[in-house]
Amino acid sequence: DDAFWAGMEPLSLGSLPRLQEGVAVVGYPVGGDTISVTSGVVSRIEVTSYVHGMTDLLSIQIDAAINSGNSGGPVFNQRQECVGIAFQSLRGEDAENIGYVIPTPVVEHFLTDYETTNTFTGFPMMGVAWQTMESPAMRSVLRMKPEHSGVLVREVQPTSTAASVLQVNDVILEFDQVSVSNDGTVPFRRGERIAFGYLVSQKYVGDEANLKILRDGREMNVVITLSKPTFLMPSHINGKDPSYFIVAGLVFITASELYLRSEFGSEYLYDAPVSLLNIMTSGVAKLPGEQVVVLSQVLAADVNLGYESVTNTIVKKFNGIEITSLKQLADLVQSCSEPYMQFALNGSELVVLDTEEAKTATAEIMELHSIPAAMSADLRSGDEHDTHKLITNEPVSTMDELLAESIADTEST
């Protein structure tokens, strides 16, 4: 409705504010129904972990109160320019009035990305994990000269484009002709320094970066292509339906941050299993398309007696084969001709099912729980209805047929 916008004036985006510059946060937080305005100053500008996106980007720390409901609200400077968007705060016994703002450079990066690609490709990554080199002994071992400074490559993600260029124990001396210090910072504004990752976040997915590195005591110039982050446990599933697979009442899913939030609530960072949290924060995919497969729950039945309490456990192997995706597990289960199905879980736990009994019981369990398909649509191989067929090769009952049978049973009763 174009009439909605009549008479409105768009906000102008301001530049990155200076330390101690006054700001005001506007929004509708908890505590009332009318608009709220809180004021403070810029306390710090640095690269910070974004809770909602599992990435480290430039952010502004302010001492104005940011409460639930403020997220997404504008933050103004004293010239009434929007200098950022409120999005998170730090809470705890030792923290008071510590709020974080997404600055306009990050907002403009998002807008430019979308205008250029007609989608959001995200912020790029180098595909390496690095550590600082403030230790003289470490610099000596890596044959760095007194004029050298940089960061040490301690891990290269196998699925990244950097895997063909960089090696473990390389020292990154420069990024696009900008020297990297031993503490991992680079020049920012006058009198300020910022984490080296800031330079990477200024680029776009597919951009090239020129690196000067030190390898075995010899300087080299290399070029890498910055790629899109590939997390082993993604933050989002891009609006798609969750993937799942069911056999004998065992419900398997792919782990994601959304799943953890759904399963364990807003305090999932404290309540979720440590094994899943470790993968979420530091898991690295070794193969393209690799996923973390989890036995989410067990729909109790005679065929899975003794396993009812198994929940939210990572699946490691199926009949001795390492599991790297849910589609792989589904294919292995459906093609299984061995007398028993053996699921090796995290923590050396084992689930064993009789293959024939498991496949027969699957259809019964699904009908009992009114589940129309044994797997999500993205896992099916050209078969539109897998309620029974994909497990037992019996005729398929569609959802309409199941509902009709249920109504008939009710009427007869």
Side-chain angles (χ1 to χ4, degrees), residues 309-348:
S309 61
V310 180
T311 60
N312 300 310
T313 305
I314 299 173
V315 181
K316 294 293 189 179
K317 295 181 179 180
F318 174 78
N319 284 355
I321 300 174
E322 186 175 353
I323 298 302
T324 58
S325 73
L326 187 57
K327 180 69 167 65
Q328 177 206 18
L329 176 63
D331 291 343
L332 288 173
V333 169
Q334 291 184 102
S335 61
C336 180
S337 58
E338 299 182 25
Y340 295 99
M341 297 181 180
Q342 301 184 48
F343 301 87
L345 309 180
N346 193 49
S348 302

Side-chain angles (χ1 to χ4, degrees), residues 131-162:
Q131 71 177 77
T132 61
M133 300 195 62
E134 296 169 289
S135 167
M138 180 181 291
R139 295 198 298 271
S140 177
V141 166
L142 293 167
R143 299 160 66 180
M144 293 178 66
K145 298 177 181 178
E147 64 270 19
H148 284 155
S149 67
V151 293
L152 175 66
V153 176
R154 59 181 176 83
E155 184 178 17
V156 181
Q157 295 185 9
T159 58
S160 71
T161 55

